[in-house]
Amino acid sequence: MKLKSTLIVLSLIAAPAFASDQAVSKTREQVQAELVQAMRSGDMLASGESGLTLKQLNPHSYPVTESASGAKTREQVQAELVQAIRTGDIMAGGESGAKLNELEPSRYPAVASAPSLTRDQVKNELARAISQGELVAVGEDGRKLNEIYPDRYHAAHHPAVAGNTQEPAEQSRF
């Protein structure tokens, strides 16, 4: 289990390097130092399927960080609670996981929504995502098609690799 947790943390630490536009690489020592820091601070995921970190499960075993200490006053928290009750932005009882304003929208003031996309815009975004392999592949790992099949999607290549290629962008095989 420790190996599984360690691999998850390492992949989470390394993910921003692959997601950024700049080619950023870390040395093995830097990654190991980050892992040791995560172990000390309790930021590693606990074993099991809870999705909680070790610090969340055992707060007394790890040092208190500034963000965990009382950053809000009692009055601020109470004001937030009153606002949430007024707008229905609190969880409803039961196992639905829905908020009160979602279950009974007529009892609460309408929430201003951002302008939505037109049907044509959504279709264009879907076509682009399909052609670039931005769709999540079937499976439990959550990887996108362009990550699993990088040879099929030119946009999936890492910026450092994509910038060095002299050939024109290949069209998708699909």
Side-chain angles (χ1 to χ4, degrees), residues 12-17 23-32 34:
L12 290 175
I13 291 171
V24 178
S25 61
K26 294 183 180 181
T27 64
R28 180 179 177 92
E29 291 76 23
Q30 289 171 325
V31 173
Q32 287 175 338
E34 288 177 3

Side-chain angles (χ1 to χ4, degrees), residues 52-115:
L52 298 175
T53 61
L54 293 172
K55 185 189 307 183
Q56 291 169 327
L57 289 176
N58 302 312
H60 59 280
S61 300
Y62 297 97
V64 177
T65 59
E66 292 178 21
S67 62
S69 63
K72 294 181 182 180
T73 65
R74 179 179 174 86
E75 290 76 25
Q76 289 172 325
V77 172
Q78 288 176 338
E80 287 179 8
L81 176 61
V82 169
Q83 174 72 10
I85 291 171
R86 188 181 63 74
T87 61
D89 199 23
I90 57 175
M91 301 300 285
E95 296 181 7
S96 69
K99 296 181 180 179
L100 289 175
N101 59 7
E102 295 170 351
L103 294 176
E104 298 181 43
S106 61
R107 295 184 66 193
Y108 300 98
V111 178
S113 62

Side-chain angles (χ1 to χ4, degrees), residues 107-171:
R107 295 184 66 193
Y108 300 98
V111 178
S113 62
S116 60
L117 300 175
T118 65
R119 182 175 175 85
D120 289 334
Q121 289 172 326
V122 172
K123 283 183 173 181
N124 289 338
E125 283 186 13
L126 177 60
R128 182 196 54 77
I130 290 171
S131 68
Q132 293 181 359
E134 290 293 322
L135 301 175
V136 176
V138 176
E140 294 181 3
D141 61 359
R143 293 187 297 166
K144 296 179 183 176
L145 289 172
N146 60 14
E147 295 169 342
I148 297 172
Y149 307 107
D151 57 327
R152 294 184 184 175
Y153 305 97
H154 186 268
H157 291 292
H158 192 276
V161 176
N164 292 335
T165 58
Q166 300 297 329
E167 26 184 78
E170 293 181 331
Q171 294 296 326

Side-chain angles (χ1 to χ4, degrees), residues 29-48:
E29 291 76 23
Q30 289 171 325
V31 173
Q32 287 175 338
E34 288 177 3
L35 176 61
V36 168
Q37 177 61 29
M39 287 178 176
R40 285 185 187 148
S41 65
D43 290 333
M44 295 194 54
L45 290 176
S47 60

